[in-house]
């Protein structure tokens, strides 16, 4: 993590699980971000209590009401973040918010597929569009010509479950809607990397491992990776990325995920 110098970061789904883990680990960096924007659906709800407690102790945490399946909510969040940042721009956008449905192929429905795809794939698309002006400002204000997460980056939290080559965990949970949404997110990450490279923005998809979260345990099995280990690993990976990695799908240990 030593090579990662993030002036500002926005994490979606920041009230629990991996999202909350990112907020906690950014605070522990030798030079924490000046601004940590923590997006969550219900900032005053019971599920955001731990995030609220953190924010009360750390003035650099700004909790942002954000529902990534709602374009109006995304637009309002971008405006609010922009007010705080002014001309400095947003260094890193971490699209972490996601939902999972462990249903089998026979039981999937139009509603399941639509809800999961809207949150897990369309959400990161709309977030990238809405925050592009702020990411471009950060890139323009950063010295050097290469790409890095210290300059400007979109980080999409994906999954090996979306890999055609692996099909990890099929016997544990088919989760068809989740797998399809993450396969699509991997393609979106590649498209973003091609479209945003000219603006100096690195784009990458990360598999966080099978992590001990509510989502990770949705199929009724105990995941092997802790939130802390996953997030620390991903931050170490982010610190080492350059233009040659933009558009890649990597795991929390830096390995290329075949997809």
């Amino acid at each position: 993590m030593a090579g990662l110098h993030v002036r500002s970061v926005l994490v979606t789904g920041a009230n629990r699980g991996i999202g909350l883990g990112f907020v906690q680990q950014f605070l522990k960096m030798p030079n924490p971000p000046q601004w940590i924007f923590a997006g969550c659906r219900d900032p005053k709800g019971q599920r955001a209590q731990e995030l609220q407690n953190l924010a009360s102790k750390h003035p650099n945490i700004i909790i942002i009401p954000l529902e990534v399946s709602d374009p109006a909510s995304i637009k309002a969040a971008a405006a609010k973040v922009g007010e705080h940042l002014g001309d400095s721009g947003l260094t890193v956008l971490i699209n972490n918010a996601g939902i999972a449905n462990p249903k089998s192929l026979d039981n999937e429905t139009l509603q399941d597929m639509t809800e999961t795809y809207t949150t897990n794939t369309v959400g990161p698309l709309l977030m990238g569009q809405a925050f592009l002006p702020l990411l471009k400002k950060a890139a323009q204000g950063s010295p050097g010509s290469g790409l890095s997460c210290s300059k400007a980056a979109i980080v999409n939290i994906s999954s090996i479950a979306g890999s055609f080559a692996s099909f990890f965990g099929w016997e544990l949970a088919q989760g068809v809607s989740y797998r399809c949404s993450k396969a699509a997110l991997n393609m979106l990450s590649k498209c973003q990397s091609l479209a945003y490279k000219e603006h100096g923005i690195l784009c990458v998809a990360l598999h966080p491992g099978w992590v001990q979260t509510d989502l990770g345990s949705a199929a009724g099995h105990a995941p092997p990776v802790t939130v802390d280990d996953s997030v620390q690993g991903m931050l170490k990976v982010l610190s080492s990325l350059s233009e040659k990695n933009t558009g890649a799908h990597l795991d929390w240990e830096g390995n290329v995920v075949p997809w």
Side-chain angles (χ1 to χ4, degrees):
M1 285 199 302
L4 192 61
H5 302 285
V6 176
R7 184 173 182 183
S8 59
V9 59
L10 169 63
V11 184
T12 67
N15 60 302
R16 59 188 179 132
I18 291 170
L20 183 61
F22 269 116
V23 174
Q24 292 167 332
Q25 292 301 325
F26 275 118
L27 288 171
K28 292 178 182 176
M29 291 176 75
N31 295 298
Q34 181 182 354
W35 298 107
I36 300 173
F37 298 100
C40 71
R41 283 187 290 189
D42 184 13
K44 293 184 168 58
Q46 192 61 42
R47 281 182 155 180
Q49 193 58 56
E50 197 170 349
L51 178 60
Q52 287 283 2
N53 293 342
L54 265 183
S56 68
K57 299 170 190 168
H58 299 277
N60 60 332
I61 297 178
I62 308 295
I63 300 177
I64 303 287
L66 178 58
E67 170 53 77
V68 300
S69 64
D70 179 3
S73 177
I74 291 173
K75 187 176 180 180
K80 192 168 184 180
V81 170
E83 287 172 15
H84 281 279
L85 291 174
D87 291 331
S88 63
L90 179 69
T91 314
V92 178
L93 166 61
I94 300 179
N95 286 313
N96 163 75
I99 58 175
N101 192 321
K103 284 184 181 177
S104 67
L105 182 61
D106 293 343
N107 295 320
E108 287 290 6
T109 65
L110 172 62
Q111 183 178 359
D112 291 335
M113 291 293 288
T114 304
E115 284 183 358
T116 307
Y117 192 87
T118 299
T119 297
N120 293 0
T121 311
V122 182
L125 165 73
L126 298 179
M127 288 291 294
Q129 291 173 339
F131 285 88
L132 180 60
L134 292 174
L135 290 161
K136 286 165 71 173
K137 278 185 183 178
Q140 289 161 3
S142 177
S145 58
L147 303 183
S148 78
C149 291
S150 298
K151 182 174 186 176
I154 296 175
V155 179
N156 293 322
I157 304 303
S158 187
S159 173
I160 196 172
S163 166
F164 288 77
S166 166
F167 251 75
F168 174 83
W170 175 259
E171 62 284 350
L172 299 176
Q174 292 185 9
V176 174
S177 61
Y178 181 75
R179 290 179 184 277
C180 290
S181 72
K182 291 301 187 180
L185 179 61
N186 292 338
M187 178 55 80
L188 172 65
S189 303
K190 183 66 177 181
C191 293
Q192 287 174 326
S193 75
L194 295 171
Y196 298 159
K197 185 175 183 180
E198 66 178 287
H199 303 307
I201 301 166
L202 186 149
C203 302
V204 67
L206 288 186
H207 166 54
W210 187 13
V211 186
Q212 295 168 13
T213 63
D214 292 344
L215 190 149
S217 306
H221 302 275
V225 184
T226 66
V227 171
D228 281 352
D229 284 347
S230 170
V231 174
Q232 286 172 14
M234 287 191 284
L235 288 175
K236 185 177 179 183
V237 171
L238 294 181
S239 71
S240 68
L241 298 183
S242 66
E243 55 267 23
K244 72 176 186 291
N245 306 111
T246 195
H249 183 196
L250 307 172
D251 71 11
W252 62 290
E253 295 177 304
N255 303 305
V256 174
V257 179
W259 61 279

